[in-house]
Amino acid sequence: MSDTIAIGALRELTEHGIHVPDDVRLMGFDGIPFSACTNPPISTVATDVPAMARTVIDRMVTLNESNLRHERPDDITHDHIQFQVMPRTSTLAA
C-alpha cells in the first residue's frame, strides 16, 4: 500500500502548493505500475511478490512438517528477496 499512500500524499502536497520534487521528495514502496502515471511519476521500490509468496509457503510447509514429526523447526528468522529501486521524477535533485 505504500505506493498508494504516496499517490495520496502527492495529491495532498499538490493541493497545498507543495511541489514534488522541488520542495519535497517522495518515494513509495510496492512498484505498482500506476505510480509511473502520476505527475510527477513517483519513485518506488519494486519487490518480487511471487518470490515472497513462495518463501512464506515453503516456510509454512516446513513448519507444519516439523510439527507433525514433533521436531523443533530450524530457526529461520529472515530471508532475502530481490528488489529493484525505480527512480523517477519525484526524487530528482532540484
Side-chain angles (χ1 to χ4, degrees), residues 11-70:
R11 179 179 175 181
E12 287 297 314
L13 290 166
T14 302
E15 287 181 3
H16 288 87
I18 300 169
H19 300 214
V20 175
D22 298 331
D23 301 325
V24 174
R25 294 187 186 140
L26 182 63
M27 184 158 188
F29 187 99
D30 290 328
I32 64 171
F34 191 70
S35 62
C37 301
T38 58
N39 186 18
I42 297 173
S43 299
T44 188
V45 176
T47 56
D48 187 347
V49 174
M52 283 192 280
R54 280 191 305 274
T55 299
V56 169
I57 291 169
D58 289 346
R59 286 189 183 170
M60 289 173 59
V61 168
T62 299
L63 180 61
N64 190 40
E65 289 172 348
S66 295
N67 285 338
L68 290 173
R69 292 189 304 266
H70 303 289

Side-chain angles (χ1 to χ4, degrees), residues 26-28 35-36 41-46 84-92:
L26 182 63
M27 184 158 188
S35 62
I42 297 173
S43 299
T44 188
V45 176
Q84 178 183 8
V85 176
M86 302 174 77
R88 296 188 180 125
T89 310
S90 70
T91 55
L92 291 180

